[in-house]
Amino acid sequence: MTEITKMSDTYTLSNGVKIPIVGFGTWQTPEGEVAKHSVETAIKAGYRHIDTAAMYGNEDAVGEGIKAGLAATGLSRDDLFVTTKLNNDAHSFDLVQKAIDTSLSKLGLDHVDLYLIHWPNPAGFRDSYPDSLKDTWRGMEQVYKDGKARAIGISNFRQQHLDVIKADASVQPMVNQIFLNPSDLQPAVTKMNSDNQLLTEAYSPLGTGKLLGNEEIKKIAAKYGTGTAQVLLRWSLQHGFLPLVKSVHDNRIQENTALFDFSLSTEDMQALDALHGVSGLATDPDTTNF
Ligand SMILES: NC(=O)c1ccc[n+]([C@@H]2O[C@H](COP(=O)([O-])OP(=O)(O)OC[C@H]3O[C@@H](n4cnc5c(N)ncnc54)[C@H](OP(=O)(O)O)[C@@H]3O)[C@@H](O)[C@H]2O)c1
């Protein structure tokens, strides 16, 4: 049973790699000083897990933030878990090899801890799907075998996408990162994840901020003397998910680590589970225009 007592507690992936239970998100964090500062601040605040993507256009600054954070805390690279993701324009074996090298060079790292296929069926490769996805997974396996990622996985995948890669895989994916908060519990996908030894990472745990003003969640937060962000992150952890939370503000980055001095009751967990649809649902990966 995983402990949830501090930011450095870990889940264990199916290949034995340990992954810190809360990740720091960087989507929509501008490249440059903002991304650098927020990542450095997060490491100083106790986050041990940073989530970025080629698509976010900020890997250079995230890498600088990692360097600055390690220097400021005296931690070593091995104390930190870093994830990046394959861009939607790189869905082939060869393109994956170029993409990981570009990401590593921008981040200033010789390996990442987790490399994910960002979307299963991007618009630019839809004509060649599912063959392009199979070829892409072979490329991901090569990245893993070359030691450029300690774990590999998928994001925004549903059953039909997992089926495409599972049949021929020599390395099975270890993580599926999905849109997951009380507004969309995605029960079919989380069941698929646990049935296939995939850790469920919960992106947009605050509904990209949209859930923070919800009256029901505010009432629950008041009962525990905490904030709505903390209730949502705690909900995710108590479900056994790994929330990835983003902020560019120092005070919020700090606040979002205050997750370990309260525990939501079964009744409040159920009340949160019942909020389906209040701030949007997961995007259908087969019909996106990117
Ligand atoms: N795999 C994928 O396809 C995918 C898709 C989306 C996201 N993700 C990952 O998941 C991460 C998190 O998701 P997300 O960025 O959608 O949003 P989120 O973490 O659910 O919410 C972030 C928003 O909430 C605000 N916020 C954060 N903490 C707050 C607090 N304590 N009080 C008030 N406001 C607060 C932030 O504002 P400020 O920044 O202004 O403070 C920002 O607007 C991403 O950054 C990314 O790493 C992955």
Side-chain angles (χ1 to χ4, degrees):
M1 186 67 189
T2 301
E3 286 200 356
I4 39 175
T5 60
K6 55 185 181 312
M7 295 294 278
S8 58
D9 285 341
T10 53
Y11 294 114
T12 304
L13 299 180
S14 58
N15 67 343
V17 165
K18 307 254 185 223
I19 179 168
I21 58 172
V22 179
F24 182 69
T26 61
W27 178 42
Q28 304 190 103
T29 300
E31 170 71 326
E33 194 46 40
V34 177
K36 179 186 171 194
H37 179 78
S38 69
V39 170
E40 178 182 357
T41 304
I43 295 169
K44 289 201 266 188
Y47 295 78
R48 294 292 172 263
H49 175 170
I50 310 292
D51 183 86
T52 186
M55 195 185 286
Y56 304 163
N58 57 18
E59 287 172 312
D60 279 306
V62 167
E64 285 173 29
I66 289 170
K67 249 187 237 129
L70 294 181
T73 55
L75 292 168
S76 74
R77 165 66 184 93
D78 294 347
D79 297 321
L80 210 60
F81 193 98
V82 181
T83 300
T84 194
K85 311 185 193 88
L86 180 77
N87 207 3
N88 286 357
D89 61 3
H91 272 227
S92 79
F93 180 93
D94 289 340
L95 291 172
V96 173
Q97 312 317 308
K98 288 194 190 118
I100 184 67
D101 287 344
T102 304
S103 284
L104 291 176
S105 155
K106 287 187 175 187
L107 287 163
L109 301 175
D110 62 4
H111 70 278
V112 285
D113 297 281
L114 177 62
Y115 197 43
L116 301 175
I117 299 183
H118 205 146
W119 287 89
N121 188 7
F125 289 87
R126 213 157 277 156
D127 287 349
S128 56
Y129 178 90
D131 291 342
S132 50
L133 180 57
K134 275 189 194 159
D135 199 40
T136 302
W137 187 253
R138 277 202 315 114
M140 297 293 285
E141 292 173 334
Q142 192 62 48
V143 167
Y144 182 66
K145 288 169 187 165
D146 289 344
K148 293 177 184 176
R150 294 172 64 231
I152 50 175
I154 54 187
S155 178
N156 299 296
F157 273 52
R158 296 180 178 179
Q159 188 71 55
Q160 66 272 26
H161 311 114
L162 182 63
D163 289 345
V164 169
I165 61 171
K166 260 199 102 69
D168 302 326
S170 64
V171 181
Q172 296 294 337
M174 295 135 198
V175 168
N176 189 14
Q177 183 180 122
I178 59 170
F179 179 86
L180 192 54
N181 57 51
S183 187
D184 194 349
L185 272 112
Q186 299 217 59
V189 182
T190 54
K191 178 171 186 317
M192 171 191 93
N193 290 348
S194 41
D195 288 349
N196 290 279
Q197 291 187 284
L198 289 157
L199 178 74
T200 299
E201 290 192 347
Y203 77 67
S204 304
L206 316 179
T208 316
K210 282 190 247 148
L211 279 169
L212 294 171
N214 180 280
E215 290 305 324
E216 188 70 33
I217 307 174
K218 279 192 190 168
K219 263 193 244 157
I220 293 174
K223 272 210 281 193
Y224 295 90
T226 187
T228 48
Q230 290 80 352
V231 165
L232 288 161
L233 296 170
R234 185 77 204 186
W235 171 88
S236 203
L237 289 170
Q238 286 186 216
H239 266 300
F241 308 144
L242 190 157
L244 304 162
V245 62
K246 173 260 180 188
S247 177
V248 295
H249 291 97
D250 292 9
N251 57 331
R252 294 174 176 175
I253 292 171
Q254 186 69 56
E255 273 167 34
N256 294 346
T257 68
L259 308 175
F260 306 107
D261 57 357
F262 69 102
S263 174
L264 297 169
S265 68
T266 305
E267 187 188 44
D268 289 327
M269 287 294 285
Q270 285 167 352
L272 292 162
D273 288 351
L275 293 175
H276 187 78
V278 293
S279 78
L281 301 174
T283 308
D284 179 349
D286 290 322
T287 57
T288 51
N289 61 0
F290 51 86

